[in-house]
Amino acid sequence: MEKKKILLVEDDVDFAEATKLILESKSYEVAVAHDGQDGLKKAQAEQPNLIILDVMMPEMDGYEVCAKLKADPSYKHIPILLLTAVGEAIPTTKYTKEMGMRTEADDYIPKPVEPMELVERVENLFRISKGEKT
Amino acid sequence: MPYRVMKESLNPVIDSLADGILVTDKKGKIMLYNQKAEALLGIKGKAALDQPVQDHIKNEVLAGLINKILILDVPYHTEEICLMDIRDVRLRVHVNPVRDSNGLLIGSVTLLHDVAQISAIDKIKSNFLTMVSHQLKSPLSSTLLQASILLNGLAGELNDKQRDLLQKIKDKIKGMTELVVDILDVCRIEEGSYIEQIEPLNLDKVLQRAIELMQPQAHDKNITLSVAVEDNLPLISANRSGIEAMFINLISNAIKYTPLDGQVGIDLRRNGQYIQMKVSDTGMGIEEKDIPHIFDKFYRERSERTKHISGTGLGLSIVKGIVEAHHGSISVESEVGKGTTFTILIPVR
């Protein structure tokens, strides 16, 4: 069976490296982008099966990347897991109002992250997206 | 300086004081004030002399306080209010009764201390604290994840000693992360940002998310979280992250102070013009002597029975700050060994 590919968009190099290690231990192929702009480029270049997006990034943050991907017909089917910052709730209105787009990610996981919980969420998203296709 | 000369120079002396001073007789008529008081209270020249205090001090709280001191006529009384807003200045006010040599009340004296500078310094400090806390979030998240990876054996098998040490490291980082989250919440309360972004909120939904986040913590101690929410609750105007932090702090506290196999109940219903939230547990309860202090910052019960429980001592002060930012109230009932119930009322409008 072909390996599933996950795109991880995370500006913190250490956090990205650690997350990559967790996902690779579960036999996922992982591509990493270190900012929002790079994330959008790699979404096109890598054609991932799932995207994990950090919310707190300089320049273009995770919500904006999410909104852009979800507004694009070629990417909107890709499940997105948002990594929210430590101690921050999910704002639901900011981008929906300012940009007239929906920022609904498919799931959210707050930092600090437990490795097994991350894996569970990822597997769950793959299960759901598989169910939708059939 | 001879006494006579000194008495003559009393007016220049009090005019030279850095603080405002205002003296009334026992009927509340203004007898004396200095230049600083004129400036702070906006009194013009000597026009206010011999006039009732409430006619010239356009701040009801201050005028009321002076009159209260005169009416109460208790042997000794001083009252201090902090950060009162009068004409865009923040004042700390001290009101004392004045007595003659026989102890009879003859008037009042009020000291007005401009604390604008202190507030400004406070703000700088609070901004600094916020910045430092934000800077700590990323490295803490990363190190915590790295520790978890090692503990999960994803970077190779560990021996027992290594595992034990690493678990301790992880617990400490977790504690620091909690402290950073709490400090940021305290800063948000002090900056008033919990009243800035207000949206119509479905409390039920916010509660469900908080429960979801707390479920693993409850599961670890085999504690049942039972939730009862009245149907068709009205939306309230509130700050989403504030309300979420409020639920998380209360539920997490309840879990922390409840022994294994216990129960934590959350009840949400309408009560007149308020939404009432009750969080109750079957935990160890709070001793009566501690109850007046539980909402103070960094206050934690220190005793044999609580020493194994970790925490920052900021949780309840955060809850209270958030509730008050929403014009609500919080109360507590507790019985040692039986459990504790927190009740919060937040106005619907």
Side-chain angles (χ1 to χ4, degrees):
Chain A
M1 205 178 85
E2 206 182 313
K3 270 190 179 179
K4 286 202 175 93
K5 193 190 275 181
I6 296 173
L7 172 62
L8 173 65
V9 189
E10 164 68 72
D11 65 318
D12 185 315
V13 179
D14 290 337
F15 198 93
E17 184 196 52
T19 311
K20 186 168 186 257
L21 210 147
I22 296 167
L23 295 169
E24 282 174 347
S25 80
K26 294 289 163 186
S27 303
Y28 292 112
E29 193 184 329
V30 183
V32 180
H34 287 298
D35 61 51
Q37 210 49 265
D38 191 25
L40 289 177
K41 261 187 239 154
K42 289 208 167 120
Q44 191 183 18
E46 303 279 348
Q47 295 291 317
N49 304 99
L50 183 140
I51 299 171
I52 300 178
L53 259 180
D54 180 34
V55 165
M56 293 276 271
M57 289 186 294
E59 312 281 329
M60 191 191 292
D61 70 14
Y63 294 114
E64 198 175 337
V65 178
C66 180
K68 291 210 156 102
L69 289 170
K70 287 296 181 191
D72 189 329
S74 16
Y75 304 115
K76 69 173 188 195
H77 65 280
I78 305 175
I80 293 181
L81 174 60
L82 272 187
L83 281 172
T84 58
V86 176
E88 305 280 340
I90 306 159
T92 51
T93 49
K94 197 175 166 204
Y95 286 101
T96 38
K97 266 190 195 155
E98 279 176 15
M99 307 172 61
M101 291 180 198
R102 288 175 69 77
T103 48
E104 303 250 310
D106 298 85
D107 200 4
Y108 301 85
I109 184 167
K111 285 184 182 177
V113 174
E114 275 296 324
M116 287 312 124
E117 201 193 340
L118 178 75
V119 170
E120 238 169 69
R121 299 283 184 114
V122 167
E123 282 171 357
N124 189 41
L125 280 179
F126 276 129
R127 236 185 336 262
I128 293 170
S129 68
K130 202 170 146 197
E132 275 169 3
K133 270 179 205 158
T134 50
Chain B
M1 202 187 302
Y3 181 68
R4 191 181 51 81
V5 179
M6 201 178 80
K7 219 175 170 187
E8 273 168 13
S9 48
L10 200 59
N11 269 337
V13 169
I14 69 160
D15 274 339
S16 307
L17 288 175
D19 285 348
I21 184 164
L22 175 84
V23 179
T24 72
D25 70 2
K26 66 175 173 186
K27 292 198 171 112
K29 278 188 181 165
I30 299 174
M31 302 309 291
L32 175 81
Y33 45 88
N34 64 356
Q35 282 174 358
K36 185 74 183 180
E38 278 176 38
L40 288 174
L41 300 172
I43 306 170
K44 290 205 180 75
K46 295 294 163 201
L49 281 177
D50 222 22
Q51 303 290 316
V53 71
Q54 60 271 21
D55 292 358
H56 283 274
I57 295 176
K58 296 300 175 219
N59 184 285
E60 279 178 28
V61 183
L62 179 55
L65 198 60
I66 294 171
N67 283 321
K68 184 181 139 198
I69 294 281
L70 294 170
I71 291 160
L72 279 180
D73 191 17
V74 285
Y76 175 76
H77 194 98
T78 177
E79 204 150 327
E80 180 180 355
I81 0 171
C82 285
L83 308 178
M84 256 181 31
D85 287 301
I86 299 179
R87 294 163 48 90
D88 299 330
V89 279
R90 312 205 96 194
L91 297 181
R92 180 173 294 152
V93 176
H94 261 285
V95 189
N96 278 66
V98 178
R99 297 179 187 285
D100 66 10
S101 51
N102 297 318
L104 281 175
L105 182 77
I106 54 170
S108 74
V109 55
T110 302
L111 270 180
L112 308 151
H113 182 57
D114 188 347
V115 288
Q117 220 180 347
I118 299 173
S119 318
I121 293 168
D122 253 6
K123 202 170 163 71
I124 293 168
K125 270 192 196 163
S126 155
N127 287 347
F128 175 74
L129 196 58
T130 306
M131 195 194 73
V132 171
S133 308
H134 274 297
Q135 293 293 327
L136 284 172
K137 285 193 320 189
S138 290
L140 286 173
S141 304
S142 300
T143 36
L144 197 55
L145 190 62
Q146 287 160 340
S148 300
I149 285 172
L150 291 173
L151 274 171
N152 278 301
L154 295 178
E157 279 310 307
L158 299 177
N159 65 34
D160 289 349
K161 192 67 207 163
Q162 288 166 335
R163 186 183 308 281
D164 181 45
L165 283 172
L166 205 50
Q167 185 62 49
K168 282 178 183 149
I169 294 174
K170 186 182 165 183
D171 290 345
K172 287 279 185 271
I173 304 173
K174 240 185 175 162
M176 284 191 262
T177 312
E178 279 166 20
L179 182 61
V180 164
V181 169
D182 283 359
I183 289 174
L184 283 172
D185 272 336
V186 170
C187 292
R188 280 192 202 107
I189 290 166
E190 285 176 1
E191 285 160 14
S193 41
Y194 276 137
I195 36 174
E196 274 166 16
Q197 294 173 338
I198 296 290
E199 54 180 305
L201 217 58
N202 181 338
L203 282 184
D204 188 13
K205 275 203 175 151
V206 185
L207 174 63
Q208 293 310 332
R209 193 178 126 83
I211 299 270
E212 209 177 285
L213 290 172
M214 287 295 106
Q215 206 60 260
Q217 206 182 318
H219 185 258
D220 286 347
K221 290 178 77 178
N222 197 28
I223 287 172
T224 324
L225 293 181
S226 49
V227 183
V229 180
E230 191 179 359
D231 289 339
N232 304 317
L233 275 183
L235 301 178
I236 64 163
S237 301
N239 178 285
R240 174 182 297 272
S241 51
I243 297 294
E244 191 178 296
M246 179 192 84
F247 278 131
I248 288 175
N249 272 300
L250 278 178
I251 297 168
S252 144
N253 248 5
I255 295 171
K256 265 187 202 166
Y257 289 93
T258 298
L260 300 180
D261 309 319
Q263 304 227 347
V264 171
I266 300 110
D267 183 286
L268 211 55
R269 62 185 62 250
R270 194 177 177 137
N271 180 349
Q273 289 308 302
Y274 298 89
I275 301 269
Q276 174 188 291
M277 290 159 255
K278 270 184 194 281
V279 176
S280 48
D281 61 55
T282 57
M284 57 176 65
I286 306 162
E287 287 194 37
E288 217 176 312
K289 68 170 173 51
D290 290 313
I291 286 190
H293 306 291
I294 56 169
F295 295 109
D296 296 348
K297 274 178 213 158
F298 294 111
Y299 186 85
R300 300 194 64 220
E301 187 191 324
R302 309 231 174 248
S303 65
E304 202 52 35
R305 63 191 201 120
T306 59
K307 70 172 188 189
H308 63 284
I309 298 168
S310 68
T312 61
L314 285 171
L316 284 176
S317 83
I318 290 168
V319 171
K320 188 163 186 261
I322 294 169
V323 169
E324 285 173 354
H326 289 87
H327 309 288
S329 65
I330 181 165
S331 59
V332 59
E333 286 165 78
S334 188
E335 200 177 329
V336 172
K338 289 256 171 77
T340 303
T341 299
F342 285 95
T343 305
I344 288 170
L345 292 170
I346 289 186
V348 174
R349 288 237 148 246

